[in-house]
Amino acid sequence: MSGTLWRDCRFRRFWAGQTVSQFGDRVTELALPLLAVSTLHASAVQVSWLTALVWTPNLLALLLGALVDRRTEKRAVMVAADLVRAALLLTVPAAALLGTPTLVQLYAVALLTGLASVAFGTAYPSYFAHLVPPASYIDANSKLSASRSVSFVAGPAVGGWLVQVLSAPLAVAADALSFLASALLIGPLPAAGPPPTRSAPPRLLRSAREGLVHLLRHPVLRAALGCAATVNFFTGFLRGCPGLRAGEESDSCGAGQG
């Protein structure tokens, strides 16, 4: 199966786009808090709000998922989400160049890019299922997960180097370019999707409620949700560490970074 995927140019483009985007995410996770601290002299509480706003749209994942599910063309949703994130992130170096960056702007960028990320994430599984043959699901997921894991290991180092060499605003610009690269790689892929249905879709809230019921009743999905929620909750404590001022880092955060 692995050889089949290596020869599949569609999957290679998809994989490359995801890999570039994942590394870009790691850069921004480091660069935005550093920009807030170094340029705007943000406090630890303000940086924690910045981090929280990135993840706040996940609370709307059921509603956004129901909305995205109504679109038969998931690839278009993913490309649009990439372009929106690129445009939003480019406002950060633009404001820095003009000398007008504000915490309010960073908060807005964090919230809206998080919203676009949720839209991308809800469209991703359906498109993946149509792009990759069922017999290759495990192999494809392994490759994509490997890229994500490498980004978490090497991404912060790359991000730190970019911030040191280019400055935090330009490091954010590099992330914007990664989303543009992802959109260019995914855009030419086939517009896979289920055939449109003639019947009217159920109401948005009803669709979200049905999705939640299915999620909670499915033993595997319920366990995966509990695991992900627990891990993400405690990982969130460490994500705020890079944004703390010098001398304010706690011992636990320092240990967590190593």
Side-chain angles (χ1 to χ4, degrees), residues 121-132:
T122 53
Y124 171 94
S126 296
Y127 189 76
F128 173 88
H130 284 85
L131 181 70
V132 178

Side-chain angles (χ1 to χ4, degrees), residues 158-186:
V158 174
W161 179 80
L162 286 174
V163 169
Q164 184 174 6
V165 174
L166 300 178
S167 77
L170 291 182
V172 175
D175 186 20
L177 294 178
S178 76
F179 285 121
L180 287 175
S182 175
L184 290 173
L185 287 165
I186 295 175

Side-chain angles (χ1 to χ4, degrees), residues 14 18 74-82 120 123-124 127 186:
F14 185 74
Q18 290 300 291
K74 302 300 191 294
R75 182 203 56 178
V77 175
M78 296 165 65
V79 171
D82 275 338
F120 185 100
Y124 171 94
Y127 189 76
I186 295 175

Side-chain angles (χ1 to χ4, degrees), residues 11 14-15 18-19 22 124 128 139-149:
F11 176 75
F14 185 74
W15 185 17
Q18 290 300 291
T19 301
Q22 287 287 339
Y124 171 94
F128 173 88
D139 187 25
N141 266 318
S142 297
K143 288 177 168 55
L144 290 163
S145 296
S147 294
R148 186 171 185 272
S149 298

Side-chain angles (χ1 to χ4, degrees), residues 40-121:
L40 302 175
H41 310 292
S43 66
V45 173
Q46 290 171 323
V47 171
S48 67
W49 275 110
L50 183 64
T51 303
L53 285 171
V54 174
W55 296 98
T56 297
N58 284 276
L59 300 175
L60 302 175
L62 281 172
L63 286 175
L64 287 173
L67 186 62
V68 170
D69 192 54
R70 295 165 184 251
R71 297 292 301 263
T72 58
E73 222 289 64
K74 302 300 191 294
R75 182 203 56 178
V77 175
M78 296 165 65
V79 171
D82 275 338
L83 294 177
V84 167
R85 287 183 286 186
L88 288 168
L89 289 172
L90 284 175
T91 66
V92 174
L97 185 63
L98 296 172
T100 58
T102 64
L103 270 176
V104 173
Q105 180 199 5
L106 293 187
Y107 287 159
V109 168
L111 180 64
L112 295 175
T113 53
L115 196 65
S117 295
V118 173
F120 185 100

